[in-house]
PDB file of all heavy atoms in Angstrom:
ATOM      1  N   LEU A  99      -0.562  13.693 100.961  1.00 85.00           N
ATOM      2  CA  LEU A  99      -1.448  14.768 101.401  1.00 85.00           C
ATOM      3  C   LEU A  99      -1.158  16.022 100.588  1.00 85.00           C
ATOM      4  O   LEU A  99      -0.050  16.539 100.653  1.00 85.00           O
ATOM      5  CB  LEU A  99      -1.243  15.056 102.895  1.00 85.00           C
ATOM      6  CG  LEU A  99      -1.549  13.893 103.847  1.00 85.00           C
ATOM      7  CD1 LEU A  99      -1.140  14.256 105.261  1.00 85.00           C
ATOM      8  CD2 LEU A  99      -3.026  13.540 103.800  1.00 85.00           C
ATOM      9  N   PRO A 100      -2.141  16.507  99.791  1.00 89.00           N
ATOM     10  CA  PRO A 100      -3.470  15.934  99.544  1.00 89.00           C
ATOM     11  C   PRO A 100      -3.363  14.647  98.739  1.00 89.00           C
ATOM     12  O   PRO A 100      -2.294  14.286  98.260  1.00 89.00           O
ATOM     13  CB  PRO A 100      -4.178  17.033  98.751  1.00 89.00           C
ATOM     14  CG  PRO A 100      -3.078  17.743  98.051  1.00 89.00           C
ATOM     15  CD  PRO A 100      -1.913  17.726  98.999  1.00 89.00           C
ATOM     16  N   ALA A 101      -4.485  13.959  98.581  1.00 87.00           N
ATOM     17  CA  ALA A 101      -4.492  12.655  97.911  1.00 87.00           C
ATOM     18  C   ALA A 101      -4.021  12.767  96.468  1.00 87.00           C
ATOM     19  O   ALA A 101      -4.391  13.686  95.735  1.00 87.00           O
ATOM     20  CB  ALA A 101      -5.908  12.077  97.949  1.00 87.00           C
ATOM     21  N   ARG A 102      -3.158  11.838  96.076  1.00 90.00           N
ATOM     22  CA  ARG A 102      -2.682  11.735  94.699  1.00 90.00           C
ATOM     23  C   ARG A 102      -2.798  10.274  94.271  1.00 90.00           C
ATOM     24  O   ARG A 102      -2.776   9.369  95.102  1.00 90.00           O
ATOM     25  CB  ARG A 102      -1.217  12.198  94.584  1.00 90.00           C
ATOM     26  CG  ARG A 102      -1.000  13.667  94.923  1.00 90.00           C
ATOM     27  CD  ARG A 102      -1.578  14.585  93.844  1.00 90.00           C
ATOM     28  NE  ARG A 102      -1.230  15.978  94.072  1.00 90.00           N
ATOM     29  CZ  ARG A 102      -2.029  16.862  94.660  1.00 90.00           C
ATOM     30  NH1 ARG A 102      -3.220  16.474  95.105  1.00 90.00           N
ATOM     31  NH2 ARG A 102      -1.651  18.109  94.824  1.00 90.00           N
ATOM     32  N   ASP A 103      -2.902  10.040  92.977  1.00 92.00           N
ATOM     33  CA  ASP A 103      -3.071   8.670  92.469  1.00 92.00           C
ATOM     34  C   ASP A 103      -2.128   8.441  91.293  1.00 92.00           C
ATOM     35  O   ASP A 103      -2.558   8.269  90.162  1.00 92.00           O
ATOM     36  CB  ASP A 103      -4.522   8.422  92.060  1.00 92.00           C
ATOM     37  CG  ASP A 103      -4.801   6.960  91.739  1.00 92.00           C
ATOM     38  OD1 ASP A 103      -3.881   6.130  91.918  1.00 92.00           O
ATOM     39  OD2 ASP A 103      -5.914   6.640  91.291  1.00 92.00           O
ATOM     40  N   TYR A 104      -0.845   8.435  91.567  1.00 93.00           N
ATOM     41  CA  TYR A 104       0.150   8.250  90.513  1.00 93.00           C
ATOM     42  C   TYR A 104       0.142   6.821  89.984  1.00 93.00           C
ATOM     43  O   TYR A 104       0.519   6.577  88.835  1.00 93.00           O
ATOM     44  CB  TYR A 104       1.541   8.622  91.033  1.00 93.00           C
ATOM     45  CG  TYR A 104       1.639  10.058  91.485  1.00 93.00           C
ATOM     46  CD1 TYR A 104       1.834  10.368  92.825  1.00 93.00           C
ATOM     47  CD2 TYR A 104       1.512  11.101  90.580  1.00 93.00           C
ATOM     48  CE1 TYR A 104       1.920  11.690  93.254  1.00 93.00           C
ATOM     49  CE2 TYR A 104       1.597  12.426  90.996  1.00 93.00           C
ATOM     50  CZ  TYR A 104       1.800  12.711  92.339  1.00 93.00           C
ATOM     51  OH  TYR A 104       1.875  14.018  92.742  1.00 93.00           O
ATOM     52  N   ARG A 105      -0.278   5.872  90.806  1.00 93.00           N
ATOM     53  CA  ARG A 105      -0.291   4.481  90.368  1.00 93.00           C
ATOM     54  C   ARG A 105      -1.255   4.280  89.199  1.00 93.00           C
ATOM     55  O   ARG A 105      -0.912   3.609  88.214  1.00 93.00           O
ATOM     56  CB  ARG A 105      -0.664   3.572  91.530  1.00 93.00           C
ATOM     57  CG  ARG A 105      -0.838   2.113  91.136  1.00 93.00           C
ATOM     58  CD  ARG A 105      -1.038   1.245  92.347  1.00 93.00           C
ATOM     59  NE  ARG A 105      -1.408  -0.114  91.993  1.00 93.00           N
ATOM     60  CZ  ARG A 105      -1.567  -1.095  92.876  1.00 93.00           C
ATOM     61  NH1 ARG A 105      -1.372  -0.869  94.160  1.00 93.00           N
ATOM     62  NH2 ARG A 105      -1.896  -2.304  92.493  1.00 93.00           N
ATOM     63  N   THR A 106      -2.453   4.865  89.292  1.00 95.00           N
ATOM     64  CA  THR A 106      -3.402   4.725  88.186  1.00 95.00           C
ATOM     65  C   THR A 106      -2.849   5.364  86.921  1.00 95.00           C
ATOM     66  O   THR A 106      -2.974   4.812  85.818  1.00 95.00           O
ATOM     67  CB  THR A 106      -4.753   5.361  88.559  1.00 95.00           C
ATOM     68  OG1 THR A 106      -5.319   4.640  89.659  1.00 95.00           O
ATOM     69  CG2 THR A 106      -5.723   5.316  87.383  1.00 95.00           C
ATOM     70  N   ALA A 107      -2.228   6.521  87.064  1.00 96.00           N
ATOM     71  CA  ALA A 107      -1.631   7.183  85.903  1.00 96.00           C
ATOM     72  C   ALA A 107      -0.548   6.309  85.284  1.00 96.00           C
ATOM     73  O   ALA A 107      -0.463   6.167  84.052  1.00 96.00           O
ATOM     74  CB  ALA A 107      -1.064   8.538  86.303  1.00 96.00           C
ATOM     75  N   ALA A 108       0.303   5.701  86.136  1.00 97.00           N
ATOM     76  CA  ALA A 108       1.372   4.844  85.632  1.00 97.00           C
ATOM     77  C   ALA A 108       0.804   3.632  84.908  1.00 97.00           C
ATOM     78  O   ALA A 108       1.309   3.223  83.853  1.00 97.00           O
ATOM     79  CB  ALA A 108       2.275   4.400  86.782  1.00 97.00           C
ATOM     80  N   GLU A 109      -0.258   3.040  85.459  1.00 97.00           N
ATOM     81  CA  GLU A 109      -0.857   1.870  84.827  1.00 97.00           C
ATOM     82  C   GLU A 109      -1.506   2.227  83.484  1.00 97.00           C
ATOM     83  O   GLU A 109      -1.409   1.463  82.513  1.00 97.00           O
ATOM     84  CB  GLU A 109      -1.881   1.234  85.764  1.00 97.00           C
ATOM     85  CG  GLU A 109      -1.248   0.565  86.983  1.00 97.00           C
ATOM     86  CD  GLU A 109      -2.277  -0.012  87.933  1.00 97.00           C
ATOM     87  OE1 GLU A 109      -3.480   0.320  87.772  1.00 97.00           O
ATOM     88  OE2 GLU A 109      -1.909  -0.783  88.839  1.00 97.00           O
ATOM     89  N   LEU A 110      -2.146   3.375  83.395  1.00 98.00           N
ATOM     90  CA  LEU A 110      -2.743   3.805  82.139  1.00 98.00           C
ATOM     91  C   LEU A 110      -1.677   4.068  81.079  1.00 98.00           C
ATOM     92  O   LEU A 110      -1.829   3.683  79.911  1.00 98.00           O
ATOM     93  CB  LEU A 110      -3.588   5.062  82.367  1.00 98.00           C
ATOM     94  CG  LEU A 110      -4.900   4.865  83.133  1.00 98.00           C
ATOM     95  CD1 LEU A 110      -5.524   6.210  83.494  1.00 98.00           C
ATOM     96  CD2 LEU A 110      -5.877   4.032  82.306  1.00 98.00           C
ATOM     97  N   LEU A 111      -0.599   4.725  81.485  1.00 97.00           N
ATOM     98  CA  LEU A 111       0.485   4.990  80.548  1.00 97.00           C
ATOM     99  C   LEU A 111       1.146   3.687  80.096  1.00 97.00           C
ATOM    100  O   LEU A 111       1.484   3.529  78.912  1.00 97.00           O
ATOM    101  CB  LEU A 111       1.521   5.920  81.194  1.00 97.00           C
ATOM    102  CG  LEU A 111       1.063   7.361  81.413  1.00 97.00           C
ATOM    103  CD1 LEU A 111       2.047   8.104  82.313  1.00 97.00           C
ATOM    104  CD2 LEU A 111       0.926   8.087  80.076  1.00 97.00           C
ATOM    105  N   ALA A 112       1.321   2.741  81.028  1.00 97.00           N
ATOM    106  CA  ALA A 112       1.914   1.449  80.672  1.00 97.00           C
ATOM    107  C   ALA A 112       0.999   0.691  79.717  1.00 97.00           C
ATOM    108  O   ALA A 112       1.467   0.069  78.748  1.00 97.00           O
ATOM    109  CB  ALA A 112       2.165   0.622  81.931  1.00 97.00           C
ATOM    110  N   GLU A 113      -0.298   0.732  79.978  1.00 97.00           N
ATOM    111  CA  GLU A 113      -1.253   0.055  79.095  1.00 97.00           C
ATOM    112  C   GLU A 113      -1.210   0.643  77.685  1.00 97.00           C
ATOM    113  O   GLU A 113      -1.184  -0.091  76.686  1.00 97.00           O
ATOM    114  CB  GLU A 113      -2.655   0.174  79.675  1.00 97.00           C
ATOM    115  CG  GLU A 113      -3.718  -0.553  78.865  1.00 97.00           C
ATOM    116  CD  GLU A 113      -5.093  -0.479  79.499  1.00 97.00           C
ATOM    117  OE1 GLU A 113      -5.206   0.058  80.628  1.00 97.00           O
ATOM    118  OE2 GLU A 113      -6.061  -0.951  78.865  1.00 97.00           O
ATOM    119  N   ALA A 114      -1.173   1.977  77.601  1.00 98.00           N
ATOM    120  CA  ALA A 114      -1.121   2.630  76.294  1.00 98.00           C
ATOM    121  C   ALA A 114       0.184   2.316  75.575  1.00 98.00           C
ATOM    122  O   ALA A 114       0.201   2.055  74.363  1.00 98.00           O
ATOM    123  CB  ALA A 114      -1.282   4.136  76.462  1.00 98.00           C
ATOM    124  N   ALA A 115       1.300   2.327  76.307  1.00 97.00           N
ATOM    125  CA  ALA A 115       2.601   2.031  75.697  1.00 97.00           C
ATOM    126  C   ALA A 115       2.652   0.600  75.188  1.00 97.00           C
ATOM    127  O   ALA A 115       3.188   0.330  74.103  1.00 97.00           O
ATOM    128  CB  ALA A 115       3.716   2.283  76.715  1.00 97.00           C
ATOM    129  N   GLU A 116       2.089  -0.322  75.958  1.00 96.00           N
ATOM    130  CA  GLU A 116       2.087  -1.729  75.548  1.00 96.00           C
ATOM    131  C   GLU A 116       1.229  -1.935  74.303  1.00 96.00           C
ATOM    132  O   GLU A 116       1.630  -2.631  73.357  1.00 96.00           O
ATOM    133  CB  GLU A 116       1.586  -2.597  76.701  1.00 96.00           C
ATOM    134  CG  GLU A 116       1.755  -4.079  76.469  1.00 96.00           C
ATOM    135  CD  GLU A 116       1.423  -4.881  77.718  1.00 96.00           C
ATOM    136  OE1 GLU A 116       0.227  -4.991  78.051  1.00 96.00           O
ATOM    137  OE2 GLU A 116       2.351  -5.392  78.368  1.00 96.00           O
ATOM    138  N   GLU A 117       0.053  -1.322  74.279  1.00 97.00           N
ATOM    139  CA  GLU A 117      -0.828  -1.463  73.127  1.00 97.00           C
ATOM    140  C   GLU A 117      -0.237  -0.832  71.868  1.00 97.00           C
ATOM    141  O   GLU A 117      -0.448  -1.312  70.753  1.00 97.00           O
ATOM    142  CB  GLU A 117      -2.193  -0.842  73.438  1.00 97.00           C
ATOM    143  CG  GLU A 117      -3.004  -1.618  74.471  1.00 97.00           C
ATOM    144  CD  GLU A 117      -4.329  -0.951  74.785  1.00 97.00           C
ATOM    145  OE1 GLU A 117      -4.553   0.181  74.290  1.00 97.00           O
ATOM    146  OE2 GLU A 117      -5.138  -1.555  75.524  1.00 97.00           O
TER     147      GLU A 117
END
Side-chain angles (χ1 to χ4, degrees):
L99 299 173
R102 296 289 187 262
D103 189 5
Y104 300 113
R105 174 173 171 176
T106 296
E109 290 178 347
L110 289 170
L111 290 168
E113 183 177 355
E116 189 172 73
E117 291 178 353

